[in-house]
């Protein structure tokens, strides 16, 4: 059982480490700490740029790391100025350093939440969608849509003055298309159809 887990962990780390080795901000990781810190740190270097805005628990679980192990390497990479983090409600989200402005970071945070992401995709498809239509489309209640809409409004991503209108549709479209694989199958399907529409380049 342990051998199987360790094998899967090593395979996961190697996959993201290969990405990390080609990342533009890669430095030389020191060989301190347990297991293989170079491989672990390179894996985080590969994971963060391909999954920007992932919160700590997702990063830890996706890379099959222990909590202390993940905290240690993330702290070292932040101290080295290679990644940065931002607090988002109850989550701490991680980004490659210097790549995203504050609105991008907020947008990615909401795109990593199921209901807000579903609303954003639906409104990118149909800017005139009503709250009732969004609720039916996502299979959630109207109060759930209202709560998510209020949060998106507070984040500067939605205007509720007259219905629901995305305030940064090109930015959101670009982020969805660019990082679709790190969201879900619906985002991937949306991106396949929308890629040619992207004009914004953060």
């Amino acid at each position: 059982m342990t051998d199987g887990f360790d094998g899967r962990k090593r395979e996961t780390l190697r996959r993201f480490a290969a990405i990390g080795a080609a990342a533009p901000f890669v430095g030389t990781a020191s060989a301190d700490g347990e297991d293989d810190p170079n491989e672990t740190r390179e894996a985080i270097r590969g994971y963060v740029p391909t999954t920007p805005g992932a919160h700590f628990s997702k990063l830890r679980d996706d890379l099959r790391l222990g909590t202390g192990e993940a905290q240690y390497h993330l702290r070292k990479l932040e101290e080295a100025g290679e990644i940065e983090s931002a607090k988002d409600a109850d989550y701490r989200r991680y980004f490659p350093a210097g790549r995203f402005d504050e609105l991008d970071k907020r947008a990615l945070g909401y795109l990593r939440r199921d209901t807000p992401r579903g609303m954003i995709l639906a409104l990118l498809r149909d800017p005139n969608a009503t709250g009732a239509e969004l609720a039916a489309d996502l299979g959630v209640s109207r109060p759930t849509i209202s709560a998510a809409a209020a949060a998106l409004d507070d984040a500067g991503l939605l205007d509720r003055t007259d219905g629901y209108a995305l305030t940064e549709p090109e930015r959101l479209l670009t982020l969805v298309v660019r990082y679709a694989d790190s969201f879900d199958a619906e985002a991937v399907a949306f991106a396949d159809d929308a890629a040619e529409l992207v004009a914004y380049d953060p």
Side-chain angles (χ1 to χ4, degrees):
M1 185 83 145
T2 303
D3 288 345
F5 175 80
D6 287 345
R8 291 194 302 275
K9 173 181 175 180
R10 180 54 60 89
E11 182 182 342
T12 299
L13 291 178
R14 284 181 176 161
R15 179 160 49 90
F16 282 103
I19 298 170
F25 54 75
V26 163
T28 302
S30 60
D32 55 351
E34 63 276 348
D35 203 18
D36 183 354
N38 279 348
E39 188 170 71
T40 300
R41 216 165 292 172
E42 291 292 351
I44 295 172
R45 285 185 173 106
Y47 181 89
V48 171
T50 56
T51 319
H55 58 70
F56 175 81
S57 297
K58 177 172 172 56
L59 181 151
R60 179 198 61 199
D61 295 348
D62 285 354
L63 294 181
R64 301 176 185 273
L65 301 175
T67 296
E69 183 182 17
Q71 289 171 334
Y72 173 78
H73 290 294
L74 287 166
R75 184 175 70 252
K76 288 292 186 182
L77 288 168
E78 279 205 82
E79 288 172 354
E82 298 186 41
I83 66 172
E84 57 193 23
S85 66
K87 197 76 166 64
D88 172 17
D90 295 329
Y91 298 107
R92 179 159 295 279
R93 299 187 182 276
Y94 292 88
F95 305 87
R99 179 69 178 89
F100 300 102
D101 65 21
E102 291 307 311
L103 189 54
D104 281 331
K105 290 176 184 177
R106 288 200 301 275
L108 283 162
Y110 281 101
L111 284 168
R112 298 216 171 274
R113 299 175 184 178
D114 291 342
T115 299
R117 181 176 63 251
M119 289 177 64
I120 288 168
L121 294 179
L123 288 167
L124 285 171
R125 288 191 191 98
D126 178 8
N128 297 314
T130 66
E133 290 168 339
L134 291 170
D137 187 39
L138 300 182
V140 298
S141 68
R142 283 295 302 278
T144 298
I145 292 294
S146 295
L152 288 167
D153 190 344
D154 289 343
L157 299 169
L158 188 73
D159 182 354
R160 295 183 293 163
T161 304
D162 184 17
Y164 293 151
L166 296 173
T167 59
E168 297 277 348
E170 285 189 353
R171 181 189 299 255
L172 289 163
L173 177 62
T174 298
L175 293 172
V176 170
V177 170
R178 187 165 291 166
Y179 301 107
D181 288 339
S182 72
F183 297 129
D184 62 8
E186 184 184 359
V188 170
F190 177 91
D192 287 344
D193 294 333
E196 75 260 13
L197 302 177
V198 173
Y200 172 75
D201 188 13

